[in-house]
């Protein structure tokens, strides 16, 4: 859904539009009631009236008319009892007339100002994907060594003097993505935590930077002090660089993660746009459909991370749609959040049983909607990642790597472009396992995966081919360019130090590269890259060969 760049302005415009449409919606309600009376309380006509009251319940408060929502909810509840009990007659007619009159009076009230939207944090456009880390560490030698290691993983690190009086001002000025702080200063064993508390107190309103504390202490007192100071993670020295980088990547994911994609299924067009505005303001991509039976096409094309769906819709209910989706293996794990004014707990549980993950009551507050969607979408992505990625390295597993390679070659054939494919192997990996243990080998392999993710493009595809062999797909890349890229990576990786127990070790890698269209099929491409890798090993290891 294409929305204006300023969702706050759009929200005000939508409120004005809804206010102008309110008489028309009331007229629809009146016509539906007249149809019920004329039909002798025919069930289908009562359901239509109930659906219109339900729609108004969700829309009124959302667009600044809370009294419309309140009175429409009363009408909706009464109509629900009519549908459940088959009740009709003069007494029921009189009650509906009284409830409709309440909705009419509520519609005359002036709208309240729109609820402020939870707006996403804006990233400095000049920084791009670069992640800036401030390192506050008294030991100059340790600080320099840690900064050098982090720079190899693509972080820009600035070492700050903890004694600077303008420390808070510098944090505010440059807005680093994260602070790495030693817990212990000369002033005391917990002085680092006090310094961070001072930075937080002096900041203007807004999200504080993420903080990772480092310390030689592992006791609960120190960990609690770090937590209470706003620490997001805590590492004891000596620090394992691979584990630290994993946490850095996680805490700064706003630069590396793509926007959540939310498919909105809501037969009220006004509400569909309203939800889209809310979620767009929070940094999500949305697509909305108002005809529930048109669900399948946007599922294929949009590939949502989450489906936000109304329960009561014309032609098909939300739980029915969810049940259909859950019968298809491709959508078993796609999160579904239901939106409804339905208060019957049994019906809510039935909707969840048919495939929903959460049930939100209309009208829903913007902050509540955004939070619920973000949490469920993140969990959904995590589940998908666990299914398609290798548990040790976090890279694509072998079967998904093959699927990506086939897809990339099809795209290259269609666009007449090159593809490079590289096989990467840790040198003397068996010896490392034998000398330091398999846990050390696993940690080293995970560190290599992290290093590659940091040094390659987002469009490049990384996977674990098997054992200690990793593979890289480089779209739109010829052999010469791939050789330059992988050679720089090889040289940089050889400079890293990896902590294994109480010692630090170095490691090197060998790499073989093959290209498409010289090797026109996925099978031939893999064979050629594997042959080039073994040529690199025969030539002495710690080298890159282009096949």
């Amino acid at each position: 859904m294409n929305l204006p760049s300023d969702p706050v302005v759009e929200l005000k415009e939508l409120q004005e539009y809804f206010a102008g449409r309110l008489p028309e919606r009331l007229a629809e309600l009146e016509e539906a009631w007249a149809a019920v009376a004329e039909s002798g309380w025919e069930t289908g006509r009562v359901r239509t009236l109930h659906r219109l009251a339900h729609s108004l319940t969700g829309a009124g408060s959302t667009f600044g008319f809370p009294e419309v929502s309140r009175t429409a909810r009363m009408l909706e509840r009464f109509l629900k009892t009519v549908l459940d009990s088959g009740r009709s007659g003069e007494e029921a007619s009189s009650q509906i007339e009284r409830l409709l009159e309440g909705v009419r009076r509520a519609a005359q009230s002036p709208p309240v100002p729109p609820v402020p939207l939870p707006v996403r944090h804006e990233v400095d456009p000049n920084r791009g994907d670069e992640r800036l880390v401030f390192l506050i560490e008294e030991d100059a030698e340790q600080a320099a060594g840690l900064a050098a290691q982090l720079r190899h993983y693509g972080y820009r690190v600035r070492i700050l003097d903890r004694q600077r009086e303008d420390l808070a001002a510098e944090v505010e000025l440059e807005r680093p993505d994260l602070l790495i702080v030693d817990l212990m200063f000369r002033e005391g064993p917990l002085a680092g935590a006090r310094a961070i508390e001072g930075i937080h107190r002096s900041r203007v309103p807004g999200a504080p930077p993420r903080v990772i504390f480092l310390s030689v202490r592992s006791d609960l007192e120190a960990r609690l002090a770090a937590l209470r100071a706003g620490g997001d993670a805590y590492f004891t020295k000596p620090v394992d660089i691979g584990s630290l980088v994993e946490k850095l990547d996680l805490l700064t994911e706003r630069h590396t993660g793509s926007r959540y994609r939310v498919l909105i299924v809501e037969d009220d067009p006004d509400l569909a746009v309203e939800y889209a505005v809310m979620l767009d303001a929070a940094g999500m991509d949305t697509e909305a459909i108002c005809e529930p039976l048109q669900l399948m096409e946007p599922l294929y094309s949009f590939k949502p991370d989450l489906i936000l769906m109304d329960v009561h819709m014309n032609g098909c209910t939300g739980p029915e749609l969810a049940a259909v989706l859950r019968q298809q293996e491709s959508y078993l794990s796609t999160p579904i959040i239901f939106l409804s004014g339905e208060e019957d707990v049994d019906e809510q549980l039935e909707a969840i049983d048919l495939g929903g993950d959460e049930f939100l009551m209309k009208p829903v507050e913007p902050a509540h909607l955004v939070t619920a969607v973000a949490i469920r979408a993140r969990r959904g992505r995590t589940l998908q990642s666990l299914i398609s990625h290798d548990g040790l390295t976090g890279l694509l597993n072998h079967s998904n790597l093959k699927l990506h390679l086939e897809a990339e070659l099809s795209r290259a054939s269609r666009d007449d472009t090159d593809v490079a494919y590289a096989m990467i192997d840790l040198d003397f990996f068996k010896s490392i396992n034998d000398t330091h243990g398999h846990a050390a080998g696993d940690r080293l392999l995970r560190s290599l995966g992290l290093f590659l993710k940091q040094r390659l493009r987002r469009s490049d595809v990384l996977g674990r081919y098997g054992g200690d062999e990793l593979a890289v797909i480089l779209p739109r890349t010829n052999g010469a360019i791939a050789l330059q890229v992988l050679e720089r990576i090889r040289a940089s990786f050889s400079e890293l130090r990896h902590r294994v127990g109480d010692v630090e070790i170095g490691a090197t890698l060998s790499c073989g590269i093959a290209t498409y269209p010289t090797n026109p099929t996925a099978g031939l491409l893999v064979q050629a890259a594997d042959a080039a890798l073994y040529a690199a090993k025969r030539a002495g290891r710690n080298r890159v060969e282009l096949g």
Side-chain angles (χ1 to χ4, degrees), residues 433-449:
N433 279 333
D434 292 343
T435 304
H436 301 286
H438 287 277
D442 288 348
R443 188 177 300 117
L444 189 60
L445 190 60
R446 188 167 65 246
S447 294
L448 175 57

Side-chain angles (χ1 to χ4, degrees), residues 78-303:
F78 182 75
L79 290 168
K80 179 72 164 52
T81 65
V82 169
L83 287 168
D84 290 343
S85 65
R87 179 181 175 187
S88 62
E90 288 189 14
E91 184 181 346
S93 296
S94 299
Q95 180 67 7
I96 290 176
E97 288 288 358
R98 285 193 294 271
L99 292 170
L100 279 171
E101 179 58 31
V103 176
R104 294 187 201 103
R105 286 197 303 269
Q108 303 305 312
S109 304
V112 300
V115 176
L117 293 174
V119 180
R120 64 183 176 271
H121 176 74
E122 293 297 336
V123 179
D124 182 352
N126 297 317
R127 189 184 296 177
D129 290 336
E130 182 182 59
R131 286 165 289 177
L132 174 62
V133 173
F134 279 8
L135 176 57
I136 307 172
E137 163 68 67
E138 277 199 330
D139 188 317
E141 185 176 342
Q142 284 192 31
L146 181 58
Q149 294 277 76
L150 293 177
R151 288 176 184 128
H152 279 296
Y153 285 90
Y155 286 91
R156 183 160 71 93
V157 183
R158 183 178 170 196
I159 302 173
L160 294 186
D161 184 347
R162 56 131 189 127
Q163 295 179 332
R164 298 179 71 144
E165 294 181 358
D166 59 350
L167 187 60
E170 295 221 23
V171 169
E172 185 61 38
L173 178 65
E174 290 203 51
R175 295 184 178 272
D177 298 279
L178 188 137
L179 306 178
I180 299 178
V181 186
D182 193 341
L183 191 63
M184 182 181 296
F185 292 167
R186 289 192 188 93
E187 292 81 358
L190 304 177
R194 304 290 89 80
I196 295 303
E197 288 174 350
I199 290 175
H200 287 176
R201 282 195 301 271
S202 63
R203 280 180 60 85
V204 297
R210 300 286 197 156
V211 181
I212 292 178
F213 281 102
L214 311 179
S215 178
V216 294
R217 297 176 56 174
S218 60
D219 57 280
L220 185 57
E221 180 190 7
R223 292 178 179 275
L224 279 173
L227 177 70
R228 290 165 179 168
D232 297 282
Y234 188 101
F235 286 86
T236 55
K237 296 181 177 181
V239 178
D240 174 61
I241 188 66
S243 299
L244 179 61
V245 169
E246 280 184 301
K247 183 58 70 173
L248 279 168
D249 287 349
L250 180 64
L251 294 177
T252 61
E253 68 175 346
R254 68 184 177 86
H255 291 294
T256 57
S258 60
R259 292 158 61 104
Y260 295 132
R261 297 181 302 278
V262 181
L263 179 62
I264 301 166
V265 187
E266 167 63 71
D267 63 350
D268 185 323
D270 297 338
L271 272 180
V273 174
E274 170 73 358
Y275 296 146
V277 169
M278 291 179 186
L279 297 174
D280 180 79
M284 305 182 200
D285 290 330
T286 60
E287 186 166 322
I289 59 171
C290 297
E291 294 292 337
L293 297 182
Q294 296 177 358
L295 175 64
M296 298 311 296
E297 195 283 327
L299 274 179
Y300 298 138
S301 59
F302 186 56
K303 295 181 173 59

Side-chain angles (χ1 to χ4, degrees), residues 232-505:
D232 297 282
Y234 188 101
F235 286 86
T236 55
K237 296 181 177 181
V239 178
D240 174 61
I241 188 66
S243 299
L244 179 61
V245 169
E246 280 184 301
K247 183 58 70 173
L248 279 168
D249 287 349
L250 180 64
L251 294 177
T252 61
E253 68 175 346
R254 68 184 177 86
H255 291 294
T256 57
S258 60
R259 292 158 61 104
Y260 295 132
R261 297 181 302 278
V262 181
L263 179 62
I264 301 166
V265 187
E266 167 63 71
D267 63 350
D268 185 323
D270 297 338
L271 272 180
V273 174
E274 170 73 358
Y275 296 146
V277 169
M278 291 179 186
L279 297 174
D280 180 79
M284 305 182 200
D285 290 330
T286 60
E287 186 166 322
I289 59 171
C290 297
E291 294 292 337
L293 297 182
Q294 296 177 358
L295 175 64
M296 298 311 296
E297 195 283 327
L299 274 179
Y300 298 138
S301 59
F302 186 56
K303 295 181 173 59
D305 294 304
L306 179 141
I307 301 171
L308 186 66
M309 188 184 300
D310 194 8
V311 168
H312 298 290
M313 295 182 289
N314 193 24
C316 182
T317 70
E320 286 176 332
L321 275 183
V324 169
L325 291 181
R326 296 309 191 211
Q327 291 174 357
Q328 303 175 60
E329 187 175 348
S330 301
Y331 304 111
L332 277 174
S333 60
T334 303
I336 297 174
I337 294 180
F338 286 125
L339 286 167
S340 178
E342 181 58 65
E343 294 179 313
D344 188 309
V345 174
D346 289 336
E347 292 205 15
Q348 291 184 15
L349 291 174
E350 182 182 359
I352 297 297
D353 184 56
L354 287 171
D357 295 280
E358 191 164 348
F359 201 104
L360 299 181
M361 287 291 295
K362 289 182 177 181
V364 59
E365 292 291 331
H368 189 183
L369 176 66
V370 167
T371 300
V373 168
I375 289 172
R376 289 291 179 182
R378 182 168 64 247
R379 288 177 182 171
R381 278 195 181 178
T382 300
L383 180 58
Q384 282 297 326
S385 179
L386 289 173
I387 293 170
S388 61
H389 288 69
D390 170 61
L392 174 62
T393 63
L395 308 181
L396 285 173
N397 57 32
H398 184 83
S399 58
N400 277 278
L401 178 68
K402 288 173 60 178
L403 291 174
H404 276 76
L405 180 58
E406 294 283 2
E408 204 56 61
L409 293 186
S410 295
R411 186 180 296 113
S413 174
R414 183 174 63 250
D415 299 341
D416 193 23
T417 57
D418 296 318
V419 175
Y421 181 81
M423 297 279 286
I424 299 172
D425 187 71
L426 281 167
D427 295 329
F428 304 108
F429 188 66
K430 183 178 184 302
S431 176
I432 292 171
N433 279 333
D434 292 343
T435 304
H436 301 286
H438 287 277
D442 288 348
R443 188 177 300 117
L444 189 60
L445 190 60
R446 188 167 65 246
S447 294
L448 175 57
L450 282 168
F451 185 77
L452 290 168
K453 282 196 288 187
Q454 295 291 351
R455 302 303 291 265
L456 292 166
R457 303 169 300 182
R458 288 190 186 182
S459 57
D460 299 331
V461 179
L462 272 162
R464 186 178 183 186
Y465 188 80
D468 63 321
E469 289 185 339
L470 307 183
V472 186
I473 305 168
L474 299 101
R476 300 179 182 276
T477 305
N478 61 32
I481 297 298
L483 184 63
Q484 292 177 19
V485 170
L486 273 302
E487 177 58 32
R488 284 198 297 268
I489 288 174
R490 180 207 61 78
S492 295
F493 185 75
S494 67
E495 297 174 7
L496 289 176
R497 305 297 295 174
H498 309 273
R499 177 156 293 279
V500 177
D502 295 330
V503 300
E504 285 189 338
I505 64 171

